[in-house]
Amino acid sequence: MSAISVRNLTYEVPEKRILNNVSLDLQSGEITSIMGPSGSGKTTLLKLLTGLLRPTSGQIVVDGTDIAQLSETELDKVRLKMGLVFQYAALFDSLTVYENIVFSVTRHRKRVPRVELDSIVRERLDSVGLGEVEWLLPSQLSGGMQKRVGLARALAMNPPFIFYDEPTSGLDPLSAQTIDELIMETGRKRNVTSVVVSHHLPSVFRISNRVAMIHSGEVVAYGTPADILASNNPTVQAFLAPERESRQQAF
């Protein structure tokens, strides 16, 4: 059974259909990247997968549960299985790194011993390659460090699913590569199912087990990176032209 199964998913706003009859099966423990041009619907799909939006119609089955049919209270329970890493880290500016990381733990678990919180913070920071930063504020960190703290926070509850929204956006090439490696390492070490929305093609083809391309609200290609690169679909070919050219130049 797929870790996440999407069937005939449609999302509409007044006078516009943003996603049209999308179906996907995301496999457990894999990294699936969702790519496509701006306005194609990829971020909307991510919000639907995490329950931040409700579909107009269709199914979103996460770990055996159709979240499209859940009440908000029931949906909150499923969200505990999800870690979210936002495009701009979305750390709480007034909280320290420590307080950001344990925020969900202290919110959803009562009376967690301080020694356990200390252990969670230290282990999660170690896992994203950060040293003694727990008492710093987000404003004292670089953009790449903020992204890593965002991942540490997402891992705090040991979720089996992690969703990334443009994780390398705004980063220099070296920092972007570091984030890519962390996404892959997190998937391997923790056996989490990862969904990455990205327009950065080098990252997409570096980290992914499977890639879905969305265009005008529809999935026009889905497969391994090799499958996508070999696609004869003209829409896919046009979107990938810069990536293919850069690969040819590299050799």
Side-chain angles (χ1 to χ4, degrees):
M1 185 176 69
S2 303
I4 300 175
S5 182
V6 177
R7 287 289 174 271
N8 308 118
L9 186 66
T10 296
Y11 181 74
E12 297 175 339
V13 295
E15 302 182 3
K16 185 175 183 181
R17 178 170 287 192
I18 297 176
L19 291 175
N20 182 40
N21 201 35
V22 169
S23 293
L24 285 171
D25 286 306
L26 310 185
Q27 303 305 312
S28 177
E30 290 191 346
I31 299 172
T32 300
S33 289
I34 302 169
M35 68 179 190
S38 297
S40 60
K42 56 187 184 295
T43 296
T44 297
L45 177 57
L46 188 75
K47 290 179 179 179
L48 288 163
L49 293 177
T50 54
L52 296 176
L53 292 176
R54 297 278 187 170
T56 303
S57 61
Q59 292 183 314
I60 307 168
V61 180
V62 179
D63 201 22
T65 300
D66 183 3
I67 67 171
Q69 305 301 320
L70 298 182
S71 68
E72 196 63 29
T73 300
E74 293 170 325
L75 190 54
D76 280 342
K77 295 177 183 177
V78 178
R79 287 195 187 112
L80 293 176
K81 300 179 181 180
M82 302 176 178
L84 275 69
V85 181
F86 298 95
Q87 181 173 356
Y88 299 109
L91 302 175
F92 298 109
D93 292 339
S94 61
L95 301 183
T96 65
V97 168
Y98 184 107
E99 292 165 332
N100 268 281
I101 292 173
V102 302
F103 182 84
S104 59
V105 179
T106 55
R107 182 182 178 190
H108 296 290
R109 293 173 53 193
K110 303 298 183 184
R111 299 177 183 174
V112 183
R114 179 56 182 264
V115 65
E116 184 177 347
L117 294 177
D118 289 349
S119 177
I120 289 171
V121 171
R122 187 68 266 145
E123 193 277 332
R124 301 311 185 272
L125 286 177
D126 285 345
S127 72
V128 299
L130 287 177
E132 303 292 327
V133 300
E134 54 260 52
W135 300 116
L136 297 180
L137 292 169
S139 61
Q140 296 173 287
L141 305 175
S142 68
M145 292 172 73
Q146 288 183 28
K147 292 281 183 85
R148 285 193 270 172
V149 172
L151 176 53
R153 182 178 63 182
L155 293 170
M157 295 284 287
N158 287 316
F161 302 95
I162 300 185
F163 299 85
Y164 301 84
D165 184 18
E166 301 285 3
T168 59
S169 177
L171 299 181
D172 63 81
L174 186 58
S175 296
Q177 184 172 340
T178 298
I179 296 299
D180 287 346
E181 290 169 354
L182 284 173
I183 292 172
M184 292 187 289
E185 185 177 356
T186 298
R188 285 194 302 267
K189 287 188 174 180
R190 297 178 181 271
N191 195 35
V192 298
T193 301
S194 306
V195 181
V196 182
V197 165
S198 180
H199 68 276
H200 189 238
L201 297 184
S203 291
V204 166
F205 289 99
R206 181 185 300 132
I207 69 174
S208 307
N209 299 107
R210 299 177 197 270
V211 179
M213 179 173 169
I214 296 183
H215 185 268
S216 298
E218 298 184 350
V219 175
V220 296
Y222 181 52
T224 66
D227 293 335
I228 302 300
L229 288 170
S231 173
N232 292 321
N233 184 307
T235 300
V236 177
Q237 286 184 334
F239 185 74
L240 293 182
E243 173 67 7
R244 286 194 172 117
E245 183 178 342
S246 113
R247 282 173 176 250
Q248 289 170 355
Q249 290 175 350
F251 294 99

